Amino acid sequence: MLSSLESADVSQTGPRAGVDFRLIVAVLLLAGAAVCTWWTIGGLAKRRVLRTELAEISHARYDLLNVDHWVAKLVPILNAKVDALDLKTASNGLRPTLEKSLYALLDQVKEKMSAPNPQTKGGGLMGGAGAMMANMMIGALKPHVPEYTDVVMAELRKPENEAAVRNYIKSMLADAAKTTFANIDTRYFSYILKEHGCADVGACQLSLANRIHDLDGRIAYYYLTALAASAIAFLILMIGRPLLGRAAIVVLLLFCVVLLCGGIFTPMLEVEAKISHLGFTFLGAPVSFGEQVLYFQSKSVLEVFRTLVTMGRPDMWIVGVLVLMFSVVFPTIKIFTLAFCLFRPSLLRNRLAKFFALESSKWSMADVMALAIFMSFVAFNGLIANTMSGLKQTGADLAIPTESSKILPGYFLFIGFCLASLFLSKKLEHGIRTTRARER
């Protein structure tokens, strides 16, 4: 009764069966799918390096959050305002302040001259004479304060003095700019620019974006070819065959292995939060910042597990173990159990082996994980749009993209594995039940 796999093999590969052209085509497709999956893994590894470097040089800490860039943008605007300063027009508002300052200066001189000299004992005639002379002198000067103010204002209106005032204000701004700086480690930033031979950030961003775009085209061709080859092979070997032979099952199992490797060794989701453009007006002059990356991560399932475990928190450790168990360990055990049962059908008498070989698809949770990743992708994009939309209410010209996160080919390869393993399990289960019914 448990020799269904053996009987299926005989029915498909008996001495009269001849050459199985379907199997030959499936093997060729398997080779193509394996090569394309390998190229996909390598291409995604290169892409992640380039994408991480692009996110690094575009990070807000080097531009929007860098006080040096604010100084570089605002000081020229302030200098322009100083150059446009007209002391002749501003003199009417300056005159009252200048008069008050002159009066205050005379009062201070009177107070100093009237103060008793500590070197003379008792003050006497000389102390009283000094105070009297100070009162007479200051009293004679105060009526002429408006005249002195006119003289000072006339001097300020001279072109050379206006230029001196402007230069003084500019020197004060320059000194303030020199003492305003940020302690930001730019070694990795500079390394990336030097590594790609870029003169500035803009050129490096354009170069990296073009290389990533070219890689995306090739990677899309590779992983779509692998999925198409797997789908065609499954159709060729399954359609019109109620029972599968051992060779066909081995080929289909290898397809599942290829898709699983492509799914767990490559990033599934690329998460990014960024500001495309930020602009506002400062003292009548426009100030703008380009693309600012706030957060970027791209990890595979195994990297997510390692990250959760190394956090050192028990709850994260449990989550990491569950993710690894249901997305990697369960599917791997299922594939190897199917392979062992193929060559030793008696293993199906064991309940545990039968569970992993034929019934674990509904418990592996791989399909649930794939759905969770997709929902996380949708939810994260919505979270960025809702959270950062409040910044637009500040009145600044703000552009926030909502499609910066991206589902990567590793996700689709993992989906392909889920479907392939499900169809193969159902096919084998149907074949075993059919064979048992015939034996009865």
Side-chain angles (χ1 to χ4, degrees), residues 36 98 115 148 220 251 343 345 390 419:
C36 288
L98 183 58
Y148 302 148
V251 171
F343 295 100
L419 296 175

Side-chain angles (χ1 to χ4, degrees), residues 343-404:
F343 295 100
R344 293 188 62 184
S346 59
L347 287 176
L348 290 175
R349 295 173 180 172
N350 186 290
R351 292 184 177 180
L352 185 62
K354 182 180 179 182
F355 169 78
F356 278 111
L358 302 176
E359 301 175 4
S360 64
S361 295
K362 60 182 118 179
W363 300 102
S364 68
M365 304 296 285
D367 51 347
V368 176
M369 178 185 171
L371 179 61
I373 292 174
F374 179 75
M375 294 304 295
S376 299
F377 162 75
V378 175
F380 189 82
N381 276 339
L383 180 64
I384 292 176
N386 293 331
T387 302
M388 302 188 68
S389 61
L391 296 176
K392 297 182 179 180
Q393 300 175 2
T394 61
D397 180 16
L398 185 64
I400 303 172
T402 57
E403 71 284 350
S404 54

